[in-house]
Amino acid sequence: MTAQPIPVVFVAGVSRGIGAATAQTLLARDFQVVGASRSRPDFTHPRFQWIETDLNDDAAVGAAFSAVERTHGRLDGLINSAGQYYAGALEEHSMEQVQAQFDAYFFSVVRTIRAALPLLRAQHSGRIINIGSTACFAPIPFHSIYTASKFALQGLSEALRFELAPLGIQVTIVQTTSVATGAVAHVQLAPRAVADYAPARSHAIEAFRAGAGSGHDPLWLAQRIARLMSQARLAPSYRFGVLARFLYGLRNWAPATVLQDVTARAFLPRS
């Protein structure tokens, strides 16, 4: 009998947080993992290959997937978990920050998917898992460009699912509330402060930080993401956690004002 090849998964954004936890969980489940990031992760494993990659550089991303093809000759999964976020009122952000936010959560994902598709199409198999958040459907005040980038990722994932299904390639997006990745320590604030937005801005940012600081353990989410690599069929999206499912229910089955009221109570000061 011919031995089954070890499945190969490419994790974009592997240096820390959800990406690092997912890579290590997959390694524990006997996957071969290729990780891409600008910074070297703090773990090693015989089945782990790290490729220093700027996910905002076409040539670098293309070279990373060429290395996967040369080394492994196959690709079974792509997990997009890279990102960073910006906080502040839209008017306060520079256009450079708006571009950088979409680079982090949208254009880098487009770039890795485009680079992975020739290999996936040749196999007529594989799966793409994009890591979204509840911001895909539940806007966060004073995180407007973050929310917009997540909405864009949601739309991309849903449309791409139709394009790739006839080719044997499955696409899904994962949505959850805060995960305690330490990313709040790296939040970039808008470069200018407009007095009219205070104190609502400060209240919203602190509420977001508090939620992220006490959020789910990255390993909790990583275990659920890893399970998706072994499921026979993927749903269009997955909401992990009670709050994620609650917010999704409000978005889809309650009057629009209900989600607005819940969001205002969570992020804005009481008037």
Side-chain angles (χ1 to χ4, degrees):
M1 295 178 63
T2 303
Q4 291 294 317
I6 298 175
V8 179
V9 182
F10 189 104
V11 179
V14 77
S15 60
R16 57 186 174 86
I18 296 169
T22 300
Q24 292 174 86
T25 301
L26 289 168
L27 290 166
R29 299 185 181 203
D30 297 327
F31 284 84
Q32 178 79 42
V33 178
V34 179
S37 57
R38 282 190 293 243
S39 302
R40 182 183 292 274
D42 61 2
F43 64 90
T44 59
H45 192 279
R47 281 182 277 102
F48 176 66
Q49 175 189 7
W50 175 65
I51 303 176
E52 183 178 2
T53 311
D54 180 353
L55 296 172
N56 293 317
D57 183 279
D58 289 353
V61 172
F65 281 92
S66 294
V68 171
E69 185 171 15
R70 286 194 308 271
T71 304
H72 304 287
R74 63 181 294 115
L75 179 64
D76 298 279
L78 166 62
I79 299 174
N80 283 303
S81 63
Q84 63 186 83
Y85 76 89
Y86 296 80
L90 177 63
E91 185 183 357
E92 298 172 326
H93 284 295
S94 65
M95 284 307 298
E96 287 76 16
Q97 282 190 326
V98 176
Q99 178 67 51
Q101 183 67 93
F102 274 79
D103 282 341
Y105 286 121
F106 183 76
F107 291 116
S108 68
V109 173
V110 170
R111 198 170 281 113
T112 58
I113 291 173
R114 283 169 55 86
L117 280 176
L119 195 51
L120 297 176
R121 284 192 293 103
Q123 298 170 174
H124 217 73
S125 68
R127 53 194 60 197
I128 297 168
I129 301 172
N130 295 325
I131 309 305
S133 77
T134 52
C136 290
F137 53 82
I140 303 174
F142 293 96
H143 294 76
S144 54
I145 60 174
Y146 169 82
T147 297
S149 67
K150 290 295 188 180
F151 265 69
L153 181 62
Q154 178 75 28
L156 174 71
S157 302
E158 290 185 3
L160 196 60
R161 182 177 172 88
F162 289 103
E163 292 180 23
L164 300 182
L167 306 178
I169 303 166
Q170 299 188 64
V171 181
T172 192
I173 185 166
V174 169
Q175 303 153 341
T176 190
T177 47
S178 301
V179 178
T181 62
V184 291
H186 302 281
V187 62
Q188 297 194 42
L189 301 178
R192 59 189 289 254
V194 177
D196 286 346
Y197 295 115
R201 179 209 317 106
S202 296
H203 193 281
I205 291 173
E206 288 308 312
F208 187 91
R209 283 175 166 161
S214 61
H216 297 292
D217 189 302
L219 182 60
W220 171 87
L221 183 58
Q223 291 170 339
R224 285 155 176 79
I225 295 168
R227 283 203 293 267
L228 299 182
M229 279 303 306
S230 301
Q231 286 186 199
R233 186 169 180 81
L234 296 180
S237 60
Y238 291 89
R239 282 157 295 283
F240 295 128
V242 173
L243 183 55
R245 292 190 290 272
F246 171 71
L247 292 173
Y248 185 77
L250 290 184
R251 175 78 187 196
N252 288 277
W253 295 298
T257 54
V258 176
L259 180 57
Q260 289 179 345
D261 290 345
V262 169
T263 301
R265 285 198 297 271
F267 290 103
L268 301 178
R270 302 289 176 87
S271 56

